[in-house]
Amino acid sequence: MQDFIITGGNRLSGEITLQGSKNSTLPIMAGAFLVNGKCTLLNCPKLTDVYSASRILNCLGSICRLKNNCAEIDSTAVSDSVIPENLMREMRSSIMFMGAILGRMGECTVSIPGGCELGPRPIDMHLTALSKMGAEITDRHGKIFCKIPDGRARGARISLSFPSVGATENIILCAVLADGETVINNAAREPEICDLCGFLRSCGAKIKGDGESRIIIEGVRELHSCEYTVMPDRIAGATYLSMTAATGGEIILKNACIAETEPFISVLEQTGCRIYSADNRIYIRRIGRLKSVKDRIRTMPHPGFPTDAQAVLMAALVTADGTSVFEENIFDCRYRHTDALIKMGADIQVMGKAAVIRGVPRLHGAEIEATDLRGGAAMAVAALAAEGITKLSCISHIDRGYENFEKIISAVGGKIRRE
Ligand code: UD1
């Protein structure tokens, strides 16, 4: 088990080149399983979740090789439709492979990913949709067996009760090789879904409407090889912007996706930071003490404020002048980072969905434990701004989503080392 030792109080300054998006790469890797040929993914982040996805592909008979920031995936000779339990446990997003395996093989066996650090994460919408597409699904002792009797999924009209990102992706992955047209109503509109669809279109899939709430997929017989560049990671971007807001200083984010980061930037601007963006770059400078955000910050499906950026922004706002209020509407259990922030001197009151943050002048270092990926990143944001030294443990959570975290922060003047 490794720790980060962080000495706070240093302003950040310089340039950060953003990694490729984790939440795009994982479903795109699942998408590569559908392709009768070799796919080359560029701008692929080096993350433990990506290594887990690579292990799943290899286990299913694809050949996945990761080198630097490139993934080469050859699924010409896929052979298996079962994801072993240990690989399912490594990463919740392994559920993403269900639609792809069913679409290609007509059957699949996975195990229930179980509750995770954000509370229970049911997959009822995934299962209902896939059964509408012809899958017969049985659940025995935590294992899910799916089989399409005639081997090929059929197009269906599916209306989601909530725009779930994962369910939308699973349906798309199953629908691209299905017989006929699939329509998803109330689909998630996250940019990573457009990235997945962009990749699948490069392989010959017929998809319209991604980025809107109605997506239409016309099934094709086969997908072909392609080379595709993964979009930048807007959540890693939000994390480094929050870090600069919390510590002071000025940063240029390179390889950023501006329009996709806008729902976050428009809130961060209310803290008084100067933010300019053009040509895939975002510039931020903090001027004076941060101001609190007056309007309630409500996490919502895209293009609302992203739930994945709630914790990192909160870590900056704990030292802002005044009171800010968050409302978490996507996950039931997404305030677990607040205990660590309180231990560092923050004044936070959680009441159900709401968290009230009364800004304090400063935080102090402490011994704390990362509770989940974004919560862990938020603790690093707070520690870089605090007085004194913080020992942050359980950092494997952070390694799931941030490439070269400590190297990037050190290069712009933050004091952080891995032990
Ligand atoms: C994805 C992202 C995650 C992000 C989340 C919301 C990836 C790998 N992960 O997660 O970083 O925080 O979107 O933007 O892309 N739900 C159900 N039943 C279902 C499916 C979902 O009740 O069948 C609920 C969930 O419990 C949650 C809400 O719907 O409360 C949203 O979940 P969803 O959009 O599916 O998130 P993920 O795809 O798991």
Side-chain angles (χ1 to χ4, degrees), residues 94 228 309 322 343 359:
S94 46
Y228 190 79
K343 195 170 176 192

Side-chain angles (χ1 to χ4, degrees), residues 21-24 26-27 49 91-96 118-128 160-169 188 190 192 234-235 300-302 306-309 328-332 334 373-374 400:
S21 161
K22 168 180 91 74
N23 285 358
S24 284
L26 300 175
D49 270 9
M91 177 181 70
R92 197 200 123 86
S93 313
S94 46
I95 204 69
M96 211 73 282
L118 305 183
R121 287 170 85 166
I123 54 165
D124 52 321
M125 283 188 255
H126 302 239
L127 299 182
T128 306
L160 295 176
S161 56
F162 179 87
S164 153
V165 174
T168 303
E169 290 170 342
E190 267 63 8
E192 293 76 16
R234 64 192 170 104
I235 304 302
M300 298 292 250
H302 190 78
T307 173
D308 285 348
E328 174 55 55
N329 293 306
I330 309 294
F331 290 105
D332 290 339
R334 211 164 192 181
L373 165 58
R374 306 302 170 188
R400 284 186 41 229

Side-chain angles (χ1 to χ4, degrees), residues 8-14 240-252 268-276 282-292 313 315-321 360-363 381-382 384-386:
N10 295 290
R11 286 159 46 96
L12 302 188
S13 134
Y240 295 123
L241 291 171
S242 300
M243 215 173 258
T244 313
T247 59
E250 54 188 333
I251 286 286
I252 296 174
L268 187 60
E269 266 176 336
Q270 297 175 45
T271 64
C273 288
R274 295 275 186 277
I275 304 176
Y276 306 102
I282 302 174
Y283 166 85
I284 178 169
R285 181 153 75 101
R286 188 180 96 186
I287 297 163
R289 188 176 174 195
L290 282 188
K291 290 191 277 206
S292 60
L313 180 62
L317 289 176
V318 290
T319 49
D321 186 11
V360 295
R362 68 194 63 81
L363 299 179
V381 169
L384 285 160

